[in-house]
């Protein structure tokens, strides 16, 4: 009886200590979609004492010396690697060299700079594109390195895979705690709403809004509209990152998804309704559809107690409101 009581008391103190521990968090890439969300969420977190929002204006991540100096002066307990060169399929396929070189430099400089700091928890943001093109859905974390990559964004994927491999080497050789998060398709405030270089949701919002303003009668979308996709509101990813701070996990690769699928056609009509575009949606079936389905298996993270909170309609409305407020 006394032993059980002592165990309960000790466990209680361990939990209280974890709750009371405050972390100094350094966010690389704090101006981007993920980084800016992390700054917003973590600034309100009971786990965090201070958030250092780093951008290219204060640190040149292409320079190892400047990257290392930023880490030395910041003295972080947690480093979040949200800095990356990102873009949609067209950008990835057009600027293949830049996507590989720049992302390799960013990831390698940050990770190498942290080799001497094994007590710093590292949360590295990857992408679901690291998984093989023909991976079975839902895509489990164990399928990494198991097949050929999707050709249009393979340079970006290889850079992300290289960061995962280096992090794994550091964990085994120097006892680092590194979690590689693989989010599904992200969207939200501060996204890149570009007509050519953006991902599917910001691209559709931008082009359909312009079509509405121009009073166009038709809006063309590539493909049949039948492919299934999973989307995650960016603040849900930031909440997953907060959730993982101070956690000791068995896995170092963790999928982060919403577990909800929608066809591109239904997504387009949802955005059409949100924007109040009155024209007709035309699906150009002569154009490629891409992968027919892409759904992550997020059961591991869900089993730990995290799940996405934002439904797609609410997330799209927030994203469109932000877009309208930030029109040039």
């Amino acid at each position: 009886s006394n032993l059980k009581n002592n165990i309960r008391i000790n466990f209680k103190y361990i939990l209280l200590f974890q709750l009371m521990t405050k972390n100094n968090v350094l966010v690389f890439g704090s101006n981007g979609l993920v980084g800016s969300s992390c700054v917003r969420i973590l600034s309100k977190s009971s786990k965090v004492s201070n958030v250092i929002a780093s951008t290219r204006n204060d640190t040149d991540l292409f320079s190892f010396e400047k990257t290392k100096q930023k880490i030395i002066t910041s003295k972080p307990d947690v480093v979040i690697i949200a800095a990356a060169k990102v873009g949609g399929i067209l950008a990835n396929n057009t600027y293949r060299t830049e996507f590989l070189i720049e992302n390799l430099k960013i990831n390698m400089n940050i990770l190498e700079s942290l080799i001497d700091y094994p007590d710093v928890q590292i949360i590295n943001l990857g992408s679901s594109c690291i998984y093989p093109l023909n991976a079975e859905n839902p895509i489990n974390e164990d399928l990494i390195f198991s097949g050929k990559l999707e050709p249009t964004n393979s340079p970006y994927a290889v850079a992300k895979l290289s960061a995962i491999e280096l992090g794994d080497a550091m964990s085994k050789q120097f006892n680092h705690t590194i979690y590689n998060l693989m989010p599904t398709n992200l969207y939200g405030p501060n996204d890149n709403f570009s007509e050519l270089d953006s991902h599917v949701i910001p691209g559709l919002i931008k082009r359909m809004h312009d079509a509405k303003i121009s009073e166009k009668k038709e809006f063309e979308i590539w493909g049949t509209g039948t492919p299934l996709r999973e989307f995650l509101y960016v603040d849900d990813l930031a909440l997953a990152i907060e959730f993982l701070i101070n956690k000791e996990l068995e896995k170092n690769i963790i999928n982060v998804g919403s577990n909800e699928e929608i066809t591109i056609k239904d997504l387009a009509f949802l955005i059409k309704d949100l924007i109040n575009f009155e024209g007709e949606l035309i699906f150009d079936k002569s154009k490629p559809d891409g992968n027919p389905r892409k759904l992550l298996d997020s059961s591991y993270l869900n089993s730990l107690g995290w799940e996405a909170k934002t439904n797609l309609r609410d997330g799209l409305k927030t994203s469109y409101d932000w877009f309208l407020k930030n029109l040039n």
Side-chain angles (χ1 to χ4, degrees):
S1 178
N2 288 336
L3 178 60
K4 288 182 178 179
N5 287 334
N6 287 335
I7 290 172
R8 289 194 193 99
I9 291 169
N10 289 335
F11 184 65
K12 181 179 179 182
Y13 280 126
I14 289 170
L15 288 176
L16 284 172
F17 176 76
Q18 288 179 333
L19 289 171
M20 291 171 62
T21 301
K22 295 280 190 175
N23 294 277
N24 193 33
V25 180
L26 172 58
V27 181
F28 284 117
S30 63
N31 271 351
L33 172 65
V34 176
S36 61
S37 177
C38 285
V39 171
R40 287 197 310 273
I41 297 298
L42 296 178
S43 295
K44 304 172 186 176
S45 173
S46 60
K47 292 183 176 182
V48 176
S49 60
N50 182 42
V51 177
I52 303 164
S54 177
T55 72
R56 66 185 63 187
N57 295 327
D58 63 72
T59 308
D60 178 8
L61 294 177
F62 295 153
S63 164
F64 172 75
E65 290 76 16
K66 292 178 180 178
T67 305
K68 183 71 177 283
Q69 188 59 38
K70 182 65 178 180
I71 289 166
I72 291 171
T73 57
S74 299
K75 299 179 180 178
D77 301 301
V78 180
V79 169
I80 298 170
I81 307 176
K85 181 177 180 64
V86 297
I89 291 175
L90 180 63
N92 271 273
N93 202 30
T94 303
Y95 307 108
R96 299 177 67 86
T97 305
E98 291 90 339
F99 269 82
L100 180 57
I101 291 176
E102 292 184 24
N103 283 300
L104 278 173
K105 285 182 177 179
I106 290 168
N107 294 330
M108 296 303 108
N109 284 335
I110 294 174
L111 289 170
E112 186 179 356
S113 296
L114 287 162
I115 286 177
D116 294 332
Y117 304 96
D119 293 332
V120 175
Q121 182 185 17
I122 303 168
I123 298 178
N124 174 45
L125 273 300
S127 167
S128 60
C129 72
I130 66 159
Y131 292 114
L133 173 63
N134 297 316
E136 182 180 351
N137 285 269
I139 304 170
N140 185 270
E141 291 96 340
D142 294 337
L143 291 175
I144 186 173
F145 292 117
S146 66
K148 184 178 179 181
L149 299 169
E150 204 285 316
T152 58
N153 59 12
S154 58
Y156 179 77
V158 166
K160 289 298 183 181
L161 287 166
S162 298
I164 292 170
E165 188 69 13
L166 177 56
D168 185 58
M170 289 168 59
S171 298
K172 290 174 179 174
Q173 189 172 352
F174 302 110
N175 297 315
H176 284 268
T177 299
I178 304 175
Y179 298 144
N180 302 285
L181 271 55
M182 302 302 131
T184 190
N185 300 294
L186 296 170
Y187 71 100
N190 209 35
D191 209 338
N192 174 25
F193 291 87
S194 164
E195 186 170 339
L196 297 177
D197 294 338
S198 61
H199 292 102
V200 58
I201 284 180
L204 282 173
I205 287 176
K206 161 67 175 170
R207 293 198 301 116
M208 207 177 296
H209 173 81
D210 290 348
K212 173 189 172 182
I213 298 303
S214 302
E215 298 183 345
K216 290 186 177 180
K217 302 299 182 184
E218 294 182 347
F219 181 85
E220 185 178 287
I221 299 170
W222 277 24
T224 63
T226 59
L228 285 163
R229 292 293 181 267
E230 175 190 28
F231 297 96
L232 182 72
Y233 186 62
V234 68
D235 283 8
D236 283 335
L237 174 61
L239 287 167
I241 291 169
E242 181 200 23
F243 177 80
L244 292 172
I245 290 176
N246 294 341
K247 286 279 194 300
E248 294 184 8
L249 306 178
E250 296 176 358
K251 286 190 175 186
N252 65 354
I253 299 172
I254 304 164
N255 286 340
V256 189
S258 64
N259 298 322
E260 294 184 2
E261 294 177 284
I262 187 171
T263 65
I264 296 299
K265 184 176 183 178
D266 287 342
L267 173 67
F269 275 99
L270 195 57
I271 293 173
K272 179 181 187 290
D273 180 60
L274 179 70
I275 291 176
N276 291 320
F277 173 64
E278 297 181 355
E280 182 182 0
L281 300 187
I282 305 296
F283 292 87
D284 185 352
K285 297 179 181 179
S286 69
K287 297 296 193 298
D289 269 336
N291 206 320
R293 187 187 184 204
K294 193 172 184 183
L295 174 68
L296 292 183
D297 177 359
S298 301
S299 58
Y300 176 68
L301 184 56
N302 295 153
S303 73
L304 299 175
W306 175 90
E307 62 180 18
K309 296 180 178 180
T310 310
N311 68 60
L312 185 57
R313 181 178 286 276
D314 290 343
L316 288 174
K317 185 180 185 308
T318 304
S319 303
Y320 185 52
D321 289 344
W322 186 93
F323 168 78
L324 292 176
K325 290 176 183 176
N326 290 273
L327 282 173
N328 293 329

